[in-house]
Amino acid sequence: MHIPINVQEHILIWSRASLTIVDVRHIVLPAGKRALTVRLPANAFLYVTQGKANVTLDDAEHAADRYYLLHGGKGARLDIRAGEAPFHYYLIYYKAALSSQAGQRPLREQESALPFQLQYGFAPLHPALLYELAERMLAEWRVEGRLERLHVRTLFHQFAYELLRQMEQQEVRAARPDLPAQLIRYMEEHYAEPLTRETLAHTFHYSVSYLSRQFRRATGASLIDYLTGIRVDRAATLLRQTELSLQQIAASVGYADVSYFIRLFRRHIGVTPKRYQAESRSAAPGSYRPILKLRSSLAARSMRRYIDISDDNHYQYSDRGELPMSRSKLPVGIAMLLCLTLWLSACSGLANTNGGTGAGTTPASNAVSENSASSGHANAGTTTGVSERVPYIGVNGEVLVPKNPQRVVMVAGAFTGHMLALGLKPVGAGDESFNNYTEGMLGGVINLGNDVSYERILELQPDLIVTWNDPALIEQLSKIAPTVAVEYGVPLREQLTDFGKMTGREEQAKDWIAQWDAKIAELKPIVQQAVGDRTVSIFDSGSPKEFYAYGSFGRGGDIIYGEFGLKAPPIIQQEAIDSGKGWAKLSLELLPEYAGDYIFISGWTGEESSPPVFEGAIWDSLPAVQQHRVFREDSRGFVFSDPISLEAQLDFVVDSLTKAE
């Protein structure tokens, strides 16, 4: 949608903005060639000096001739195809920030109609001065001196002034960037990367809250839910069409942890990846499409215009096959049981009130109950003595949680160790909770498996549920008890502190962290002295021709690289640690480049039998192998980063590194 530009208002905003010139370039694109498609890393002016080209900014096409000027905001997708002659143009990248004076919000909080984010293109009636200013900016930029940088900034202000003057004369119209469309296109192109709401907000130069709000308003889905749909869709295609292993498929769609991928796939599709693969191949072509169940977790039908539709994406707009957990109602049996439990609870409360026990319901507790109901949290699972609730801010927003929960269900079983570290044993937990690291700690705890069984959870009468950040799942579980969502990737101390706040056990969290810090302080110099400047690698297997290296992504990496500060081989440091990705997929031929002086191997891959990767001539030639500095840990708990797993990993890591030959 194109809108008239209020130049006077834009002049006021430009005059108040703090501007930083990021880069000034002059580019010549050969005739008939297409420039590499880029996503603008900052706001930018493109100013043509010679030739013609078809320039596309997001979905808007511009026939750019000599002296044509184009503006786009950060995050816009720029594509250029030169005509029959070489195409010469300037690219001037800049950043803008508004001061907080006069009650103004920071720029990233503003609506996308700000001049720095608008998209427009026009041919100025008086191009000579703009051309001269662009030339002078480039000449000064190439000098790279402080005085020259100041001059570039001054020239840029003159460039903006002349531009605004001519835009007012010509009554130029602009288009607001279609932010949801940009986000969807970006996620479709980068789904295999470690995307989060924070990284997307940084890429598109908006706050997390603004970006999330605009995306949900347009699509009806959260950013992460939509991204998950893209990833699961791609994974399903690979399962149907290739012979790749589960770990290869998981990694190719952005999940280094195959167990998490399996659980997520089952949650969205309704069956495990292996079963989906087997049944889709055994059925007649096109007759078995469980992936249709994803439709409700992606977007409303109104989003069709944002996606280049292919046969593999039609499920997004189909009315068939809705995943049960995405519906607004619980299954009938569960609903009846929930009603019965509520009725019994009400009768019990009435008996207490009228029975002269002195434990009658106070106005304060009545208020809490009303607030809980309005938040979608039924009191079905609350236990005697845990009626008081307090607000807690989780990944899924504010939730009224019990002040002192007693019956916790850990659907997100990978975080059960956080509860155990606080001295709180859950009544039920996901299958990943049960491994040799937690052996003897979970006696009497119900193993909920990998599926989410609402009946079993309801029978446990929880007063608090901790689950993954899955909106559909949260919606259903919240009807049973207060539900808090958690996510991977939060630093240990911060996450345990959050669990302390969630459960009213902040002091226990502080005590554990203090004890952990004392252990690290004691052991760090011993380990650093034993290892010295030698490097450490962490691997697990993928297939006979590839494998994975890890940074601080479980598997002892939080301790090795994080707590002890040991060195990784340069290529792992760059691709798995500095990148923020946490892992890197490697070719077996490059193994000598990735192999450190010490090697840790995670033997658990989520498959019943992992392929034999760590053997053969290349492997046997590694110094770490020849010097017996290879340490293998097959426990499932080795892949986690919770306090209980880290305590076990700490012993293993220290023992391995200090006793190596």
Side-chain angles (χ1 to χ4, degrees), residues 421-422 496-497 505-519 647:
L422 299 176
L496 186 61
T497 299
R505 298 181 176 233
E506 294 179 76
E507 290 304 316
Q508 288 90 330
K510 291 179 181 178
D511 290 344
W512 189 93
I513 292 171
Q515 293 175 22
W516 176 257
D517 288 342
K519 287 182 184 178
E647 286 177 341

Side-chain angles (χ1 to χ4, degrees), residues 368 371-372 374-375 377 389-392 398-402 463 482-483:
V368 170
N371 289 338
S372 301
S374 68
S375 301
H377 297 147
R389 294 185 181 179
V390 295
Y392 171 78
E398 182 175 297
V399 181
L400 289 175
V401 300
D463 54 15
T483 300

Side-chain angles (χ1 to χ4, degrees), residues 174-192:
R176 291 188 178 94
D178 193 337
L179 188 57
Q182 290 180 342
L183 285 162
I184 289 171
R185 188 179 294 115
Y186 186 83
M187 288 189 287
E188 288 177 337
E189 294 172 353
H190 301 272
Y191 62 84

Side-chain angles (χ1 to χ4, degrees), residues 342-370:
L342 284 167
W343 179 75
L344 291 173
S345 299
C347 292
S348 174
L350 183 61
N352 287 337
T353 303
N354 297 329
T357 62
T361 305
T362 65
S365 64
N366 278 333
V368 170
S369 297
E370 291 171 4

Side-chain angles (χ1 to χ4, degrees), residues 275-553:
R275 181 181 171 189
Y276 172 82
Q277 186 177 58
E279 295 185 359
S280 62
R281 292 182 179 182
S282 62
S287 64
Y288 185 79
R289 293 293 298 274
I291 198 163
L292 291 172
K293 298 177 181 179
L294 272 172
R295 197 268 310 166
S296 61
S297 68
L298 283 178
R301 293 181 186 85
S302 61
M303 285 303 297
R304 189 181 187 109
R305 67 186 184 275
Y306 289 142
I307 302 176
D308 296 328
I309 302 298
S310 66
D311 289 339
D312 287 333
N313 283 335
H314 287 171
Y315 69 86
Q316 299 174 32
Y317 316 101
S318 170
D319 287 326
R320 297 175 293 152
E322 188 176 24
L323 186 62
M325 72 175 66
S326 299
R327 296 172 183 163
S328 60
K329 296 181 179 180
L330 287 168
V332 175
I334 304 178
M336 292 178 64
L337 182 57
L338 179 57
C339 291
L340 177 61
T341 308
L342 284 167
W343 179 75
L344 291 173
S345 299
C347 292
S348 174
L350 183 61
N352 287 337
T353 303
N354 297 329
T357 62
T361 305
T362 65
S365 64
N366 278 333
V368 170
S369 297
E370 291 171 4
N371 289 338
S372 301
S374 68
S375 301
H377 297 147
N379 285 332
T382 55
T383 58
T384 304
V386 196
S387 59
E388 184 178 359
R389 294 185 181 179
V390 295
Y392 171 78
I393 305 298
V395 175
N396 54 320
E398 182 175 297
V399 181
L400 289 175
V401 300
K403 187 174 182 179
N404 181 28
Q406 300 297 308
R407 299 186 61 79
V408 180
V409 166
M410 296 296 297
V411 173
F415 295 89
T416 297
H418 290 79
M419 289 295 184
L420 295 175
L422 299 176
L424 184 59
K425 185 164 70 171
V427 294
D431 184 65
E432 58 264 83
S433 305
F434 299 85
N435 55 70
N436 67 328
Y437 287 173
T438 58
E439 189 174 355
M441 301 181 187
L442 297 176
V445 178
I446 301 300
N447 187 339
L448 299 173
N450 288 316
D451 293 322
V452 179
S453 172
Y454 298 115
E455 292 92 342
R456 297 185 70 187
I457 294 173
L458 188 58
E459 289 171 358
L460 292 173
Q461 297 187 9
D463 54 15
L464 177 65
I465 301 173
V466 179
T467 187
W468 305 104
N469 188 21
D470 182 325
L473 188 59
I474 294 167
E475 179 185 357
Q476 301 303 336
L477 291 174
S478 295
K479 296 174 183 178
I480 300 175
T483 300
V484 175
V486 290
E487 287 184 320
Y488 275 129
V490 180
L492 166 68
R493 293 165 179 80
E494 179 182 342
Q495 190 135 57
L496 186 61
T497 299
D498 287 341
F499 269 88
K501 294 176 181 177
M502 182 197 310
T503 59
R505 298 181 176 233
E506 294 179 76
E507 290 304 316
Q508 288 90 330
K510 291 179 181 178
D511 290 344
W512 189 93
I513 292 171
Q515 293 175 22
W516 176 257
D517 288 342
K519 287 182 184 178
I520 297 301
E522 175 188 354
L523 296 172
K524 183 175 181 178
I526 298 174
V527 172
Q528 288 184 336
Q529 182 176 2
V531 175
D533 289 332
R534 290 188 286 265
T535 58
V536 184
S537 298
I538 304 171
F539 298 146
D540 73 13
S541 59
S543 76
K545 293 186 178 180
E546 64 183 16
F547 61 102
Y548 295 81
Y550 292 89
S552 296
F553 200 84

